[in-house]
Amino acid sequence: MIEYKGYKDKLIKLDAEGNVANRTAKNQPDFAAINSYAVNGAVHYANAVLHYTSYTDVIAIGVTGYKETSGKLNHLIGVYYVSKNNFGVGQKVDEYTDLSFLKKEHFSAFIEKVKQLSLSQDEIEKLKERREQEITASLVKLNNDIFKSEKGLSENDRVYLVVASIMATLGDVENNVYPLTKADLKSSNERNNTDGDIMIRKIESFLDAKKLPKDKKDLIVRTLQNTLTTDNINKVDDGESQLKRVFIKIVDDLGVYYKIGLNTDFTGKLFNEMYSWLGFTQDQLNDVVLTPPYVATLLCRLARVNKDSFVWDFATGSAGLLVAAMNEMLADAKKKIKSPEELARKSAEIKANQLLGLEILSNVYMLAVLNMIMMGDGSSNILNKDSLKFDGHYGFGKTDEKFPADAFILNPPYSAEGNGMVFVEKALSMMNKGYAAIIIQNSAGSGKAAEYNKRILEHSTLLASIKMPIDLFIGKSSVLTNIYVFRVGEAHQKDDVVKFIDFSNDGYTRSDRKKASRNLFDTDRAKERYQEVVDLVRFGKTKLNILTEKEYYEGHIDPEKGNDWNQTAPIDTRPTLDDFKKTISDYLAWEVSTLLKNQPTEDDRLGK
């Protein structure tokens, strides 16, 4: 993409962080900059290519030229690489004085230079954070627009329309499945050729390309078909069906985000926003609240997830915990495997066979499937089943084999028996080894789930109890939570040491401003604190650094009670020698002060 501006000083506008400044402070498109500056315009159109086509890498070139009064021609060139890998923000390739790098004989060297570009981890985190803020704002706007403009769509219909539209527009060019476009929807009344029929065929092709098991594919198609093929949504009004109008809205508002390859829980954002669409009561909202991504990663690390783990989640929701687990597993594989061929094989194995999730709510299940498909497809064993009736087998493919789980992560529905500990008992009883980390309402550890806890301790050891910040789920839920960490396959003994951590101060400051673009701030070394908690649970007190001894305590529980899991460091009320000295010192100072105040003045002595 090349954009030319025939004006001086109109090559590029950068923001405070040195990025192409195409967004305002409110995270809206900065059309003034896009329109006025050559590079900004080229990067804007490069993002449109990522958004609306199957291309994943674009070179954006801005050129300005002007004549001096003497007639001499001056020009400047800015060359940027815009890609899924840099979240569409664009990276400067190099300095160039002309366009000869595009000549055939120089182009290979130019592309090699592009391939060497990389973002630091800090840059990646900042860009992900910015994009996630934009996603949240876009989802709120999308929901409001559909709610106001499109009548007759239930909450479930809206969820399924978003899922269907995203699946239809993802495409899989390697398997000749091209993204559905607006032009493909003809709004015809012809039998078997309505907009819904066209979209269903595209989704079927997409799922075939993903090599989903037939049973799973049929379930997804059947679920979406109930919404996509209804008469009302395909009825043509003023030359356009309601389905096409909603499809266009979804693709225009969200396409740029899910097409740029965010390595994050994208549909977790949908999940959190869509729950407000689904009209749950407050109690139900407590049950379905999204685990923040940084907490999901914490759970994975506490459960010691690595490239060889087999991870399952018995209340999958949008699959946010499994996304975090998959990221940890793939990162570990990349770190340890140096053969590209072996790494590709292992990555495919992780996604196909080393993750399993159970979700009973069908509308939420669809979000989980979508999430894992978008993450490169770890969706094979995301099952629409009741966890408490689960037999432990793979759901698709190797259905005669037990899933060899050795890592369990969970944020359960708190209204379930024992605040959700019923899921923990079920999962851990089906495991022979490994580790588990769950975040749960803290009353589960102080009596509400005592019977479940006692049975769990018969085959698993409680390693740690971590009190989480009171505002962890601010704006989403009002429950107090703890994380409990277990070693599976070994009964808890009364002399086993349990690490009690008060993590009320996790380094983050949170706000609940409804219209804020950002509500989470690292104000006190949050990332370092989270890593310290992982190290404390694994290695003990020697890793105590940022946290204090008042926040870390090694103690014991009674396996026969099940209600003493939320302990805090005991307060020592015995006075020390220093306390005694200070008390005596304070008393003597008071005595001296009193004596001095009672001394007669010179005037008193003279009788004045």
Side-chain angles (χ1 to χ4, degrees):
M1 304 297 298
I2 302 178
E3 176 148 342
Y4 169 74
K5 298 289 182 188
Y7 303 98
K8 186 179 181 181
D9 300 326
K10 291 296 181 182
L11 179 66
I12 189 170
K13 181 182 179 183
L14 300 175
D15 62 22
E17 295 176 347
N19 296 315
V20 178
N22 280 3
R23 311 287 298 187
T24 66
K26 293 184 177 180
N27 254 329
Q28 300 296 319
D30 188 345
F31 291 115
I34 291 166
N35 184 54
S36 301
Y37 294 88
V39 169
N40 297 64
V43 168
H44 172 73
Y45 289 113
N47 269 279
V49 170
L50 295 182
H51 184 164
Y52 291 109
T53 76
S54 56
Y55 289 103
T56 57
D57 303 270
V58 187
I59 303 302
I61 303 171
V63 184
T64 58
Y66 67 96
K67 281 186 178 180
E68 296 180 356
T69 51
S70 63
K72 180 184 176 183
L73 180 66
N74 287 320
H75 66 266
L76 293 171
I77 298 172
V79 182
Y80 279 71
Y81 171 54
V82 181
S83 162
K84 286 177 65 173
N85 293 330
N86 58 36
F87 310 109
V89 71
Q91 291 172 274
K92 186 174 182 178
V93 180
D94 206 345
E95 296 282 352
Y96 295 95
T97 56
D98 60 31
L99 299 178
S100 61
F101 63 88
L102 294 175
K103 283 187 174 181
K104 185 177 181 180
E105 58 267 34
H106 304 308
F107 193 66
S108 293
F110 170 73
I111 292 302
E112 281 304 310
K113 188 169 288 188
V114 168
K115 287 179 179 177
Q116 292 170 15
L117 294 174
S118 62
L119 295 170
S120 70
Q121 194 57 41
D122 280 349
E123 289 173 322
I124 289 172
E125 291 303 320
K126 283 181 181 177
L127 289 174
K128 279 172 63 175
E129 188 176 287
R130 183 194 300 179
R131 283 301 196 188
E132 287 175 355
Q133 292 164 17
E134 294 172 22
I135 290 167
T136 301
S138 293
L139 279 166
V140 173
K141 182 175 180 294
L142 174 68
N143 183 39
N144 289 337
D145 288 352
I146 294 177
F147 181 75
K148 289 176 184 176
S149 307
E150 302 297 337
K151 306 304 179 186
L153 295 177
S154 70
E155 291 90 348
N156 278 347
D157 286 336
R158 277 181 269 169
V159 171
Y160 293 144
L161 283 171
V162 171
V163 170
S165 298
I166 292 174
M167 281 188 183
T169 53
L170 280 173
D172 189 324
V173 179
E174 289 181 11
N175 290 289
N176 293 316
V177 179
Y178 292 92
L180 187 73
T181 68
K182 304 170 191 177
D184 293 328
L185 299 182
K186 308 295 183 182
S187 295
S188 166
N189 286 318
E190 182 183 338
R191 187 170 178 272
N192 295 326
N193 206 33
T194 64
D195 287 340
D197 295 324
I198 293 168
M199 192 178 288
I200 284 291
R201 287 197 292 271
K202 181 62 70 174
I203 291 169
E204 287 181 314
S205 297
F206 171 73
L207 296 177
D208 284 340
K210 289 295 179 185
K211 297 182 171 59
L212 256 66
K214 185 177 184 305
D215 290 351
K216 189 178 193 74
K217 178 193 136 183
D218 290 348
L219 174 62
I220 294 170
V221 171
R222 192 164 59 246
T223 304
L224 296 178
Q225 202 163 25
N226 290 336
T227 294
L228 295 179
T229 58
T230 57
D231 290 340
N232 282 343
I233 205 169
N234 286 285
K235 183 181 177 182
V236 180
D237 186 17
D238 291 333
E240 195 172 62
S241 70
Q242 185 182 47
L243 177 54
K244 182 172 183 177
R245 287 196 304 272
V246 175
F247 173 82
I248 290 171
K249 186 71 185 162
I250 291 167
V251 174
D252 284 352
D253 283 8
L254 297 181
V256 67
Y257 303 119
Y258 64 75
K259 295 287 282 282
I260 60 174
L262 279 177
N263 191 27
T264 188
D265 176 16
F266 171 81
T267 57
K269 294 286 183 184
L270 265 72
F271 175 85
N272 233 13
E273 174 58 25
M274 285 180 181
Y275 272 144
S276 67
W277 303 8
L278 292 172
F280 288 117
T281 66
Q282 184 58 47
D283 286 344
Q284 288 171 312
L285 282 172
N286 282 343
D287 271 2
V288 296
V289 67
L290 173 71
T291 311
Y294 56 95
V295 176
T297 299
L298 173 65
L299 292 176
C300 293
R301 291 175 179 172
L302 290 170
R304 307 191 190 184
V305 170
N306 60 56
K307 66 180 177 65
D308 298 317
S309 296
F310 285 81
V311 186
W312 61 7
D313 176 356
F314 275 36
T316 296
S318 74
L321 294 184
L322 291 180
V323 167
M326 188 162 75
N327 284 339
E328 289 290 302
M329 296 162 82
L330 294 173
D332 187 51
K334 189 174 182 181
K335 181 180 176 182
K336 294 175 180 174
I337 299 174
K338 301 308 176 186
S339 161
E341 190 171 325
E342 186 184 343
L343 177 60
R345 218 170 22 243
K346 182 60 177 175
S347 297
E349 173 70 13
I350 286 169
K351 294 174 183 178
N353 295 317
Q354 292 180 225
L355 297 156
L356 185 146
L358 301 163
E359 176 53 54
I360 195 169
L361 299 175
S362 58
N363 44 19
V364 180
Y365 167 74
M366 291 304 298
L367 293 177
V369 169
L370 175 65
N371 207 1
M372 297 305 280
I373 285 174
M374 290 175 65
M375 289 299 299
D377 202 7
S379 73
S380 297
N381 287 286
I382 306 294
L383 314 178
N384 188 197
K385 290 186 176 181
D386 183 345
S387 302
L388 301 180
K389 297 177 182 177
F390 179 53
D391 62 4
H393 286 77
Y394 279 95
F396 299 95
K398 303 187 291 186
T399 52
D400 57 337
E401 290 184 31
K402 291 276 190 182
F403 183 80
D406 56 15
F408 177 59
I409 46 180
L410 182 74
N411 179 4
Y414 303 148
S415 65
E417 293 181 46
N419 287 147
M421 289 301 288
V422 61
F423 294 104
V424 182
E425 182 189 12
K426 171 78 172 176
L428 300 194
S429 69
M430 299 170 76
M431 297 168 64
N432 298 317
K433 62 177 183 176
Y435 295 87
I438 64 164
I439 184 166
I440 198 166
Q441 199 166 354
N442 73 346
S443 56
S446 58
K448 198 84 177 281
E451 294 306 313
Y452 291 101
N453 295 349
K454 286 190 284 185
R455 290 195 294 270
I456 287 168
L457 295 177
E458 290 174 6
H459 52 72
S460 297
T461 303
L462 180 66
L463 297 179
S465 170
I466 305 163
K467 179 183 178 183
M468 298 304 286
I470 193 169
D471 60 351
L472 189 68
F473 297 108
I474 189 169
K476 306 296 180 186
S477 176
S478 56
V479 296
L480 303 176
T481 56
N482 270 50
I483 290 175
Y484 300 122
V485 185
F486 301 90
R487 181 172 58 244
V488 185
E490 191 176 317
H492 192 104
Q493 306 298 316
K494 64 178 182 178
D495 292 328
D496 278 323
V497 172
V498 180
K499 292 149 186 173
F500 296 97
I501 301 172
D502 184 348
F503 203 38
S504 300
N505 177 17
D506 69 345
Y508 284 118
T509 298
R510 301 167 184 83
S511 71
D512 188 22
R513 294 175 298 158
K514 299 299 182 186
K515 295 186 179 180
S517 60
R518 184 181 174 200
N519 284 322
L520 182 72
F521 306 88
D522 185 342
T523 52
D524 190 7
R525 296 180 290 174
K527 291 182 178 65
E528 292 88 344
R529 285 174 179 271
Y530 273 77
Q531 184 57 49
E532 185 167 318
V533 166
V534 175
D535 292 339
L536 284 169
V537 171
R538 186 155 192 179
F539 303 113
K541 193 173 181 179
T542 57
K543 295 298 181 179
L544 199 61
N545 180 25
I546 304 173
L547 274 66
T548 67
E549 292 196 5
K550 291 181 180 178
E551 296 167 305
Y552 178 81
Y553 163 60
E554 294 184 353
H556 304 278
I557 62 170
D558 184 345
E560 300 299 321
K561 283 187 175 181
N563 62 359
D564 53 352
W565 291 14
N566 298 339
Q567 299 179 34
T568 55
I571 299 171
D572 189 355
T573 57
R574 293 174 301 174
T576 64
L577 181 60
D578 287 339
D579 293 329
F580 177 73
K581 287 178 179 178
K582 185 176 186 308
T583 301
I584 295 299
S585 174
D586 290 344
Y587 175 74
L588 291 174
W590 175 80
E591 281 278 17
V592 171
S593 174
T594 302
L595 286 171
L596 289 174
K597 285 179 183 177
N598 292 332
Q599 286 278 342
T601 65
E602 186 66 25
D603 286 346
D604 290 336
R605 285 195 297 270
L606 294 174
K608 292 181 182 180

